[in-house]
């Protein structure tokens, strides 16, 4: 079924690759509920939704596309979810509606060539700017959660109390995890969380009053307010979820596929449509159960590095995610201690800055739109606002520089829409 011989692999290698990929990305089972529960979502609901989305997307990738690329709710989008619930002053059910609609659009785009047109039309400087801006966005969230950075009336933000127990534990956990990454330890983020949790137990900051294992929580189905999406005019939020997930997933998929040797000489990816459907379906399913959009995980490259080449790798990943549903008390206790999850947010934020090196900073009409995206996302606490600023400034600067023909017509349309949105629906 998985054509193991054809892909020069075997069952043992694929199982080892699956275990490796799972260990490098299992942190999402802890971090995602920790972030989304801050928006008012019940912890158990988010926990189950995270696992369901990961299993659905990963199995589709395994069985339909036969690729060793795992899917799960993406970092950055979960933090954006929380800020939108707070900023729009709406219930989480409304923001879940935007995720669901973005997922439906995602599925439609994945069935057509529109997704490929959109990817090629949007310049790389905007793509890298968006990814890097989200990196700063979630790193800043980690700093705030841990108390390293706190609010200030005079300067908006300032350094927190570094002697507070939770902040000290965060800093210790951060340096432990950084050391593991520097030593290239497989599953460094997850191991760092485990070590930080053990230290938290000895310092009295972490306890397991409800035990470690239990029967899985009951998933809550379809708690979505679609009417609220339209009555509150949250079209930009839908677009932000859709756009970021498209770039995140497609970029990750191509990167891992190149590493595994799947990309053809003409640059195409075999079974691309089936692969692209995996994250789109996971996003839609995840919204129905209560989580933010899903995307392909770059951590899949760790499994490819140890020999994973087929969907059997991702079947193993899905199976391990299924086992994790029996550990909700453990995950719940760990999620309640910000010092365990904050270092992951800060470090993943750093990973997402990699694209900055690929922006042509010597070319001002490429550089400034990327810069304004990166600057505005963390400072406005809105990924959508950052995207809007980038899509407005890019075509305008090209137009002023006599390079109007270099810009795809789609960008002019988006730029005009975002200008109208900023005028008539500021903050949405």
């Amino acid at each position: 079924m998985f054509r193991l011989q054809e892909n020069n692999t075997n069952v043992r290698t694929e199982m080892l690759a699956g275990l490796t990929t799972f260990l490098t990305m299992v942190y999402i089972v802890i971090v995602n509920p920790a972030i989304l529960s801050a928006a008012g979502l019940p912890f158990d609901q988010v926990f189950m939704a995270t696992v369901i989305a990961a299993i659905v997307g990963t199995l589709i990738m395994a069985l339909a596309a036969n690729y060793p690329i795992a899917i799960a709710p993406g970092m950055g989008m979960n933090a954006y979810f929380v800020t939108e619930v707070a900023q729009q002053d709406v219930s989480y059910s409304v923001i879940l509606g935007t995720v669901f609609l973005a997922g439906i659009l995602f599925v439609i785009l994945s069935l057509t060539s529109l997704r490929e047109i959109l990817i090629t039309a949007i310049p790389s400087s905007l793509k890298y700017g968006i990814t890097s801006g989200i990196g700063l966005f979630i790193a800043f969230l980690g700093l705030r959660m841990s108390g390293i950075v706190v609010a200030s009336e005079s300067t908006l933000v300032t350094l927190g109390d570094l002697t507070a127990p939770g902040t000290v534990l965060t800093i210790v956990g951060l340096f432990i995890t950084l050391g593991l990454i520097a030593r290239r330890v497989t599953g460094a983020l997850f191991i760092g969380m485990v070590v930080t949790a053990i230290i938290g137990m000895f310092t009295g900051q972490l306890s397991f009053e409800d035990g470690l294992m239990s029967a899985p929580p009951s998933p809550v189905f379809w708690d979505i307010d679609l009417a609220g999406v339209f009555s509150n005019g949250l079209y930009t939020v839908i677009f932000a979820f859709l756009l970021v997930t498209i770039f995140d997933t497609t970029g990750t998929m191509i990167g891992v596929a190149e590493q595994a040797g799947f990309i053809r000489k003409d640059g195409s990816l075999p079974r691309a449509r089936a692969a692209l459907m995996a994250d789109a379906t996971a996003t839609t399913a995840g919204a129905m159960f209560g989580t933010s959009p899903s995307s392909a995980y770059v951590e899949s490259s760790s499994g490819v590095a140890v020999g994973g080449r087929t969907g059997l790798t991702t079947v193993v990943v899905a199976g391990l995610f299924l086992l994790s549903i029996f550990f909700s008390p453990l995950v719940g206790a760990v999620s309640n201690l910000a010092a365990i999850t904050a270092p992951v947010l800060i470090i993943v934020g750093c990973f997402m800055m990699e694209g900055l090196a690929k922006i042509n900073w010597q070319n001002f009409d490429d550089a400034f739109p990327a810069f304004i995206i990166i600057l505005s996302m963390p400072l406005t606490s809105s990924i959508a606002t950052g995207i809007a600023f980038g899509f407005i400034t890019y075509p305008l600067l090209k137009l002023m520089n006599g390079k109007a023909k270099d810009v795809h017509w789609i960008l002019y349309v988006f730029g005009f829409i975002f200008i109208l949105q900023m005028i008539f629906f500021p903050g949405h």
Side-chain angles (χ1 to χ4, degrees):
M1 179 178 179
F2 297 106
R3 302 193 295 276
L4 299 182
Q5 285 187 327
E6 185 182 321
N7 287 283
N8 298 316
T9 184
N10 55 56
V11 173
R12 181 182 175 278
T13 300
E14 294 292 297
M15 293 190 74
L16 177 62
L19 176 62
T20 303
T21 296
F22 177 76
L23 287 176
T24 57
M25 63 181 289
V26 66
Y27 67 84
I28 195 62
V29 173
I30 299 170
V31 175
N32 202 47
I35 292 174
L36 291 189
S37 57
L41 275 80
F43 173 85
D44 285 346
Q45 178 181 344
V46 183
F47 172 71
M48 287 302 292
T50 302
V51 174
I52 289 167
I55 291 173
V56 168
T58 302
L59 281 180
I60 291 173
M61 183 68 75
L63 303 176
N66 196 27
Y67 284 139
I69 302 172
I71 306 285
M75 291 293 291
M77 288 291 91
N78 44 18
Y80 177 53
F81 186 105
V82 175
T83 58
E84 284 305 307
V85 170
Q87 287 191 351
Q88 307 295 347
D89 193 25
V90 295
S91 70
Y92 65 81
S93 298
V94 175
I95 306 299
L96 277 176
T98 65
V99 177
F100 179 77
L101 291 173
I104 295 295
L105 289 173
F106 206 3
V107 170
I108 294 168
L109 284 174
S110 298
L111 290 170
T112 68
S113 59
L114 285 174
R115 184 170 178 177
E116 294 165 32
I117 293 170
L118 194 59
I119 291 163
T120 54
I122 297 171
S124 57
S125 60
L126 290 186
K127 294 174 189 172
Y128 295 135
I130 290 168
T131 305
S132 301
I134 293 171
L136 282 183
F137 182 85
I138 64 172
F140 185 52
L141 177 69
L143 293 172
R144 278 176 26 217
M145 280 172 54
S146 60
I148 295 175
V149 166
V150 295
S152 164
E153 285 188 15
S154 56
T155 60
L156 294 182
V157 291
T158 188
L159 191 65
D161 179 8
L162 299 186
T163 61
T167 309
V168 170
L169 183 58
T170 300
I171 295 169
V172 170
L174 179 62
F175 279 100
I176 288 170
T177 311
L178 288 172
L180 292 168
I181 292 171
R183 300 290 299 175
R184 301 184 185 278
V185 175
T186 298
L189 290 175
F190 178 66
I191 295 169
M193 291 175 74
V194 171
V195 175
T196 308
I198 292 170
I199 296 171
M201 288 171 60
F202 282 109
T203 58
Q205 297 178 65
L206 178 64
S207 61
F208 299 100
E209 296 173 359
D210 297 325
L212 301 178
M213 295 180 66
S214 73
S218 299
V220 179
F221 187 63
W222 197 263
D223 189 10
I224 291 174
D225 181 3
L226 293 177
V229 177
F230 299 105
S231 63
N232 286 281
L234 300 180
Y235 308 112
T236 313
V237 179
I238 298 172
F239 184 70
F241 279 133
L242 177 65
L243 199 64
V244 174
T245 312
I246 286 173
F247 294 155
D248 190 19
T249 294
T250 309
T252 299
M253 214 172 283
I254 291 169
V256 176
E258 281 180 348
Q259 180 192 0
F262 298 139
I263 303 292
R264 291 172 176 155
K265 289 181 181 179
D266 63 357
S268 65
L269 177 67
R271 305 181 300 283
R273 192 158 290 181
L276 295 172
M277 278 297 295
D279 56 341
T281 309
T283 293
T284 309
M288 290 163 66
F289 287 96
T291 187
S292 46
S294 297
S295 66
Y297 262 61
V298 72
E299 284 84 354
S300 304
S301 59
S302 62
V304 171
V306 297
R309 290 294 180 274
T310 74
L312 183 55
T313 292
T314 30
V315 166
V316 173
V317 174
L320 291 169
F321 268 115
L322 182 61
L323 286 177
S324 72
I325 65 175
F326 296 100
F327 293 90
S328 63
L330 168 65
V331 173
V334 170
S335 298
N336 283 330
L337 182 57
I340 298 173
T341 52
V344 174
L345 295 175
I346 296 166
I347 293 168
V348 171
C350 172
F351 290 156
M352 295 179 75
M353 305 297 287
E354 182 185 358
L356 288 180
K358 299 172 185 175
I359 295 172
N360 182 7
W361 294 102
Q362 305 301 315
N363 189 356
F364 188 74
D365 46 8
D366 278 332
F368 185 81
F371 165 75
I372 199 66
I373 291 172
I374 296 163
L375 181 70
S376 57
M377 279 189 185
L379 294 185
T380 62
S381 292
S382 173
I383 289 172
T385 300
I387 291 172
F389 286 167
F391 274 75
I392 291 169
T393 54
Y394 185 87
L396 277 177
L397 284 173
K398 291 292 184 182
L399 200 61
M400 292 174 186
N401 205 15
K403 300 178 181 176
K405 291 182 179 178
D406 294 348
V407 181
H408 197 285
W409 65 267
I410 286 178
L411 289 182
Y412 289 115
V413 173
F414 283 152
F416 181 69
I417 290 170
F418 279 128
I419 289 171
L420 292 178
Q421 179 255 323
M422 286 291 177
I423 295 170
F424 297 108
F425 302 101
H428 286 274

